Amino acid sequence: QKEVEQNSGPLSVPEGAIASLNCTYSDRGSQSFFWYRQYSGKSPELIMFIYSNGDKEDGRFTAQLNKASQYVSLLIRDSQPSDSATYLCAVKTGNQFYFGTGTSLTVIP
Amino acid sequence: EAGVAQSPRYKIIEKRQSVAFWCNPISGHATLYWYQQILGQGPKLLIQFQNNGVVDDSQLPKDRFSAERLKGVDSTLKIQPAKLEDSAVYLCASRNAYNEQFFGPGTRLTVL
């Protein structure tokens, strides 16, 4: 079983819609959770992180964490074409960071 | 604040040759990571340094890969000899006190 699993997509949403990206992880001892955005041919850039159960909002982005279900999600409100990218979920377990394979998002104008 | 620097940006070598990558982390970041990202996959951790000591190298193929961070700042990752399956982007990242990792632009390695 992979440490971090994501739907590879592609996920397509119209401009202005809400994009919902999901991630599950296998280790209940995982402490912190991160969402990265990676444009094609570029390196990952951090969008936000979450440590505690519940929601965390930052502008158009909301991260949601449910440790009981071992589930973390990212909502992007008012999606823009510039949000088209691959979104990577990363989980910190002990000293290790584990990345999912990413979900490809396309926002259609 | 300057970001993570890496060089070279691109490298093409033949199998069985050796190659080295260089990384300079964000100033003040004690923790440095090297990742391998194969096309279509997420980054895979190869090695983690805390200052000049190795914290985790459990996924580093030690028969051909080596890495060092002698003065606790710059780091080099070496592959000797390279195999076809080593073709990937090699990413360096450094981490701040809030566990936020910042990635460099990466080195795209092609092994022919």
Side-chain angles (χ1 to χ4, degrees), chain A residues 32 34 36 38 41-46 49 51 88 92 95-102, chain B residues 33 35 37 40 42-43 45 48 55-56 58-59 91 95 98-101 103-105 108:
Chain A
S32 41
F34 304 81
Y36 286 82
Q38 187 171 28
K42 302 293 186 183
S43 57
E45 53 180 332
L46 181 66
F49 58 88
Y51 298 139
L88 297 165
K92 185 173 185 288
N95 283 320
Q96 280 262 12
F97 281 84
Y98 296 96
F99 282 79
T101 55
Chain B
Y33 304 85
Y35 289 90
Q37 187 173 25
L45 180 68
Q48 176 187 347
V55 174
D56 191 317
S58 57
Q59 298 190 83
L91 295 163
R95 194 192 87 197
Y98 304 101
N99 281 322
E100 297 170 315
Q101 285 190 69
F103 285 84
R108 184 176 298 274

Side-chain angles (χ1 to χ4, degrees), chain B residues 16 18 36 41 53 63 69 78 82-83 92 103 107-108 112:
Chain B
R16 291 188 290 274
S18 61
Q36 179 193 59
Q41 298 182 18
D63 57 334
R69 194 184 183 198
K78 295 179 182 178
K83 292 185 175 181
C92 178
F103 285 84
T107 297
R108 184 176 298 274
L112 302 175

Side-chain angles (χ1 to χ4, degrees), chain B residues 2 8 16 19 26-27 31-32 37 39 43 53 66 76 86 93 101:
Chain B
R16 291 188 290 274
V19 64
I26 293 172
S27 177
T31 306
L32 182 149
Q37 187 173 25
L39 189 64
S66 64
T76 56
D86 298 331
Q101 285 190 69

Side-chain angles (χ1 to χ4, degrees), chain A residues 43-64:
Chain A
S43 57
E45 53 180 332
L46 181 66
I47 300 172
M48 62 190 304
F49 58 88
I50 185 167
Y51 298 139
S52 305
N53 274 330
D55 295 0
K56 180 181 178 183
E57 189 173 315
D58 184 358
R60 296 186 296 112
F61 299 96
T62 299
Q64 299 175 317

